[in-house]
Amino acid sequence: MTIPPLSVTGEAARFEKLRNLDILDTAPEPAFDGLVSIARTVCNTPTALISLVDKDGQWFKARSGFEPCETNLDSSVCAHALRHGSTLIIPDLSLDLRTAANPLVTDNPGIRFYAGALLKTSDGHAIGTLCVIDTEPRPKGLNAAQVKVLEGLADQAVALIEMRIGSLYREASNALERESAERSQAATEAGRVGIFDIDLATNEITPSAEMCRIFGVEPAPAYDAGVFEKLLIPDDQGKQSNRDDRTAGVSQLMTEYRIKRAHDGALRWIARRGGFITGADGSPLRFTGTVSDITERKLAELRQQVLIDLGEMIREAESVSEIVGEAARMLGENLSVSRVGYAAIDIPADLFDVQSDWCAPGIESLVGHHSLAAFHGTAKFLRTGQPLVVSNIAAAHWLRGDSEGYAVIGTNAKIKIPLMRRAQLIGCFFVHHETARTWTPAEVAFVEAVAERVYAGVARIRAEEEQALLNQELSHRLKNTLAMVAAIAKQTLRGVTEKEAVEAFHARLLALASAHDVLLQNSWSSARIRTVIESGLALHAKSERISAIGPDVKLGPKAALSLSMLLHELATNAIKYGALSVPEGKIEIAWSVERETSEAMLRLIWREIGGPPAISPERKGFGSRLISSGLVGTGKAELSYDSTGLVGTFLAPLSLLTQH
């Protein structure tokens, strides 16, 4: 494919500008090599180039991961970026009409992905691009932070090119370096990405201001690299590069580790990507790269695993104290708080009973009966049914009447999730911290998710206890009734000569007595179907991976609990084996109200997309049986184990789902 002229007017001036810059066919320079190394690292691509587009071809001032130093225009994707007029991103070059026939796409090296930021001079001439290239398509392209960094590095490349002109290079070098550094810093800070450059001969690191912020050190032009290395926690010391590894050129290029931030001692997760810049003989001279704070992502992953483990534990638990005690421990250790527990509340008696709690070392347990008199403000709010989140109890004027009570139990920040029954407050799941603390939305959502699962588990235990009593009574009465029937039959049929038939009848009565069973659904607060779906899946996956579409339907308490547990089982299986086990996987949930004969039915479809092929489980455990039982135990569940993922269809009468 022949590249058409970039424009009819202005090209002569652009070509003249490029030649006046005296940059074409010049020797490699470390400053430009460093820019492509950083671009390659930030965008996680095998190739990065500084490409200058001339009349007859393109020439590379700096290249990493690409051997040729120039190509003709027929092979130039950067020429299309100049025509585009701004940053150009092509997710799959083989599918784009502009590049599908490009020799670099159809032949070796078979490039597929391209992203290029324009090199635009101070007087407005686009002379080329700073681009990154991959041999694999990227449907999602680059994220916003990567685009910002790429454009900032392109600005820095232009500044370096313009610095080279005549004697202005020496006179203006310091000013332009500061300007380009500010541009690069602005780009990296926008993406919350820190940049570093280590001189291997001196072990001196040049960190960006954002890197200093991430590690909690004062911004400075340079530090000894050991200043940052000593911040790693002992268990992760081997995951960071050190002077010997860098000098030998064997440091890990990508790693994750934990630090104790310098200024406040906070534990933070860091992701580091790096690369070596080598000399003419191939020996490493500098180690450059990026760092980013991934603490929130790591915490989200840990909390998701806590919810999975909690679900497994609740299914196997045999008592309320076991459920509450283990849930409190998991939550307390994850959030690093002072105390977590559950309290049953008796409003008429003005009492609350802490039935189980977990406490950090040195914190007193509250297990036992207590008066509500010191906590009337808290109880009044919880009776609204809304979660109560307070960061500083002592400063909360509306809780003045409760502040002394909280001071006695060593608490100044709290989260409380009420448990309601028939619009009455009967208990709460609580999280206490001894000092003031700003609760993040993610922490509050995590506490709510744990509390919901605890309440569902407690309801199951209570229902099973009630069911056991009912079973015993039913069994006792049924056996008495059948024993009476057997006695009457024996007395009535004692004159019958066919004893074998009488014995068979008696045996059938005994078999009937041992075969009886009763199923009683658990109770939960009423909720709209969309609320149940969104809250049930919120901490299993990010919202953009879940699609929920359907009409507004209000579920009764039994149906709400049934759907919540069903979704939990499906999502747990999806995380372990299905669409949520891979980054690109998604879940689609759609429901509708239909009519079969005269009865309205709710049809709900769970569809997994982008994950591995679905495989029917060899062993049917509790979860599989729960899924197969369908909504509110109707048994109307169809599971299709397709190559594209699991598809589950559940059907239930609308009248049954809305019962109170």
Side-chain angles (χ1 to χ4, degrees):
M1 174 183 176
T2 300
I3 302 293
L6 297 179
S7 67
V8 177
T9 61
E11 279 304 281
R14 191 181 72 80
F15 295 145
E16 182 181 0
K17 178 67 176 180
L18 184 56
R19 282 170 173 74
N20 289 340
L21 289 170
D22 197 24
I23 187 72
L24 295 174
D25 299 318
T26 55
E29 298 178 51
F32 293 98
D33 293 340
L35 294 180
V36 295
S37 177
I38 292 173
R40 179 180 172 181
T41 301
V42 170
C43 298
N44 193 24
T45 60
T47 301
L49 306 165
I50 293 178
S51 171
L52 302 171
V53 181
D54 200 1
K55 183 177 182 180
D56 301 318
Q58 63 178 352
W59 177 79
F60 307 125
K61 173 59 182 171
R63 61 191 191 276
S64 178
F66 193 77
E67 284 301 320
C69 63
E70 61 183 334
T71 70
N72 57 37
L73 282 181
D74 283 348
S75 301
S76 175
V77 181
C78 296
H80 294 293
L82 269 62
R83 289 176 58 85
H84 186 66
S86 60
T87 299
L88 175 64
I89 298 176
I90 302 179
D92 190 339
L93 294 164
S94 67
L95 301 180
D96 194 291
L97 293 178
R98 296 169 293 183
T99 56
N102 188 306
L104 297 180
V105 177
T106 59
D107 300 321
N108 284 333
I111 64 175
R112 287 292 180 272
F113 169 75
Y114 173 90
L118 291 183
L119 302 177
K120 186 169 286 190
T121 62
S122 56
D123 52 358
H125 292 292
I127 58 173
T129 71
L130 193 159
C131 65
V132 291
I133 297 170
D134 201 344
T135 55
E136 297 292 334
R138 289 197 182 185
K140 295 182 180 179
L142 300 180
N143 60 41
Q146 289 170 324
V147 172
K148 280 278 189 184
V149 172
L150 191 65
E151 291 174 344
L153 294 173
D155 287 346
Q156 190 170 358
V158 171
L160 290 172
I161 290 171
E162 292 183 333
M163 277 193 335
R164 302 179 75 263
I165 304 173
S167 61
L168 291 177
Y169 178 77
R170 285 182 297 274
E171 295 174 2
S173 60
N174 291 336
L176 286 174
E177 283 178 4
R178 285 195 299 272
E179 180 183 350
S180 62
E182 289 171 359
R183 291 175 178 176
S184 179
Q185 178 179 333
T188 55
E189 288 183 357
R192 315 306 289 177
V193 176
I195 292 178
F196 65 87
D197 186 345
I198 302 177
D199 185 326
L200 302 188
T202 63
N203 202 41
E204 185 176 81
I205 183 172
T206 303
S208 69
E210 180 63 12
M211 178 174 179
C212 292
R213 187 197 66 80
I214 290 172
F215 281 76
V217 302
E218 287 293 325
Y223 280 101
D224 183 86
V227 171
F228 293 89
E229 292 165 9
K230 71 180 182 181
L231 296 177
L232 270 73
I233 67 171
D235 289 346
D236 288 359
Q237 283 291 336
K239 297 180 180 180
Q240 169 65 301
S241 68
N242 57 52
R243 187 170 190 173
D244 292 339
D245 290 343
R246 290 191 293 268
T247 302
V250 296
S251 297
Q252 295 183 64
L253 300 185
M254 298 176 61
T255 186
E256 295 179 356
Y257 51 80
R258 292 165 292 174
I259 65 168
K260 284 290 188 71
R261 196 161 54 192
H263 72 284
D264 61 3
L267 184 69
R268 309 301 293 178
W269 276 92
I270 305 298
R272 192 265 290 147
R273 293 180 176 177
F276 287 98
I277 296 176
T278 59
D281 61 354
S283 61
L285 300 178
R286 306 207 321 268
F287 187 64
T288 67
T290 64
V291 293
S292 55
D293 188 326
I294 58 169
T295 305
E296 294 307 315
R297 172 169 68 81
K298 282 293 185 180
L299 287 176
E301 291 173 356
L302 291 172
R303 288 166 186 166
Q304 184 179 81
Q305 187 59 49
V306 167
L307 291 177
I308 293 173
D309 294 343
L310 180 61
E312 297 286 350
M313 182 276 294
I314 287 175
R315 283 196 293 272
E316 302 297 329
E318 297 181 354
S319 68
V320 171
S321 61
E322 181 182 356
I323 290 175
V324 175
E326 189 63 13
R329 181 192 65 79
M330 290 180 175
L331 188 58
E333 291 178 351
N334 185 274
L335 293 181
S336 299
V337 294
S338 302
R339 184 188 297 114
V340 183
Y342 172 76
I345 298 175
D346 188 340
I347 294 295
D350 207 27
L351 296 171
F352 68 95
D353 176 20
V354 177
Q355 300 177 341
S356 179
D357 66 5
W358 169 92
C359 299
I363 301 299
E364 184 179 354
S365 171
L366 295 182
V367 170
H369 296 278
H370 306 272
S371 171
L372 268 178
F375 306 100
H376 279 170
T378 298
K380 181 179 179 180
F381 184 94
L382 291 176
R383 291 173 72 177
T384 66
Q386 300 299 313
L388 175 58
V389 181
V390 181
S391 298
N392 189 335
I393 295 173
H397 297 300
W398 66 277
L399 278 176
R400 279 191 307 241
D402 295 7
S403 59
E404 184 176 344
Y406 281 110
V408 170
I409 61 175
T411 299
N412 199 29
K414 63 180 178 178
I415 300 176
K416 293 181 183 286
I417 311 299
L419 175 61
M420 310 295 289
R421 181 181 296 168
R422 302 184 185 91
Q424 298 298 313
L425 176 66
I426 63 168
C428 80
F429 194 78
F430 61 84
V431 176
H432 289 169
H433 199 59
E434 58 184 336
T435 59
R437 170 171 174 163
T438 300
W439 305 102
T440 68
E443 289 173 335
V444 175
F446 181 48
V447 174
E448 289 181 306
V450 171
E452 288 175 3
R453 285 158 176 76
V454 167
Y455 291 163
V458 170
R460 176 182 66 81
I461 295 294
R462 298 296 191 214
E464 288 176 353
E465 291 172 349
E466 294 174 4
Q467 185 70 65
L469 291 174
L470 180 59
N471 284 346
Q472 291 176 4
E473 182 63 22
L474 287 174
S475 178
H476 177 70
R477 293 190 181 189
L478 181 58
K479 288 177 180 177
N480 285 345
T481 300
L482 292 177
M484 184 177 294
V485 171
I488 292 172
K490 183 178 181 180
Q491 182 69 22
T492 303
L493 301 175
R494 64 182 176 179
V496 175
T497 56
E498 297 179 4
K499 299 297 183 183
E500 185 177 344
V502 174
E503 290 174 358
F505 176 71
H506 184 69
R508 286 167 183 161
L509 286 176
L510 293 178
L512 180 62
S514 64
H516 67 279
D517 189 18
V518 178
L519 177 64
L520 181 65
Q521 289 286 345
N522 294 325
S523 295
W524 190 43
S525 60
S526 298
R528 300 192 180 279
I529 187 169
R530 183 178 299 278
T531 303
V532 175
I533 292 172
E534 290 178 350
S535 63
L537 298 179
L539 278 106
H540 285 289
K542 294 182 178 180
S543 59
E544 57 263 30
R545 300 183 69 184
I546 305 295
S547 171
I549 302 174
D552 186 21
V553 177
K554 189 173 183 180
L555 301 176
K558 293 181 180 179
L561 176 61
S562 172
L563 178 58
S564 178
M565 296 299 290
L566 176 64
L567 291 174
H568 173 72
E569 295 299 334
L570 289 168
T572 298
N573 289 342
I575 290 172
K576 290 181 176 179
Y577 316 111
L580 297 183
S581 69
V582 296
E584 62 272 15
K586 295 184 178 181
I587 304 295
E588 288 184 356
I589 304 173
W591 65 94
S592 59
V593 177
E594 304 172 356
R595 286 199 171 271
E596 292 190 1
T597 64
S598 60
E599 186 172 26
M601 305 289 288
L602 179 83
R603 181 183 300 275
L604 185 143
I605 299 175
W606 169 283
R607 187 184 307 276
E608 299 186 19
I609 300 171
I615 300 175
S616 178
E618 296 180 0
R619 186 178 66 85
K620 302 290 185 181
F622 175 83
S624 297
R625 294 195 299 273
L626 190 148
I627 293 171
S628 298
S629 69
L631 293 167
V632 290
T634 61
K636 294 184 178 181
E638 295 180 6
L639 301 177
S640 177
Y641 297 91
D642 297 343
S643 60
T644 56
L646 176 69
V647 178
T649 303
F650 305 91
L651 195 67
L654 190 61
S655 59
L656 184 61
L657 294 171
T658 56
Q659 281 183 358
H660 288 272

